[in-house]
Amino acid sequence: MTGDELYSYANKSKLSTLAAAADVALDCSIAKEACSLASLPTASTTTMLALGDALAMSLAEKRGFKEEDFADLHPGGKLGKKLAKVESPHAFRRRRPAGEWQNQNDRRDL
């Protein structure tokens, strides 16, 4: 594995042009959708999500991905803020220009 291989996963991957071009094609075919109409993707989307999560977690473990890495890559998101190490608990408060406060009660939205 050199890191530049193309991996794909698809339902009915034998029919997929992406799978045909991939170095590794993972087939996520299912026997039947859960939808009684057999037309809405239900079981197939769950299968794709589960395989995507498994691949992501395997890669994160192999690369030694830590909470600090996530906080560095996603500093503005909810998890990034939770995992970030800050010197002040006020570091992520929403800022307003000083003259924008009408009275002390307006500060409750922080």
Side-chain angles (χ1 to χ4, degrees), residues 33-107:
E33 292 289 0
C35 169
S36 62
L37 303 173
S39 59
L40 299 175
T42 49
S44 59
T45 55
T46 302
T47 302
M48 298 287 257
L49 286 169
L51 182 57
D53 285 350
L55 290 170
M57 294 302 95
S58 296
L59 184 59
E61 185 177 314
K62 180 177 175 145
R63 291 186 174 178
F65 197 77
K66 304 275 188 265
E67 286 184 350
E68 298 83 31
D69 300 318
F70 190 93
D72 289 343
L73 292 170
H74 301 284
K78 188 174 182 179
L79 284 175
K81 288 178 185 177
K82 177 182 172 191
L83 299 171
K85 293 182 175 149
V86 293
E87 293 178 20
S88 167
H90 307 290
F92 292 108
R93 283 192 168 176
R94 186 168 56 96
R95 303 284 183 217
R96 281 192 187 181
E100 195 173 317
W101 303 111
Q102 299 297 319
N103 59 49
Q104 281 300 108
N105 290 334
D106 285 348
R107 298 183 68 113

Side-chain angles (χ1 to χ4, degrees), residues 6-28:
L6 175 61
Y7 290 77
S8 73
Y9 59 101
N11 190 5
K12 300 178 185 171
S13 65
K14 293 176 183 150
L15 304 175
S16 167
T17 54
L18 177 61
D23 298 300
V24 176
L26 302 173
D27 188 353
C28 292

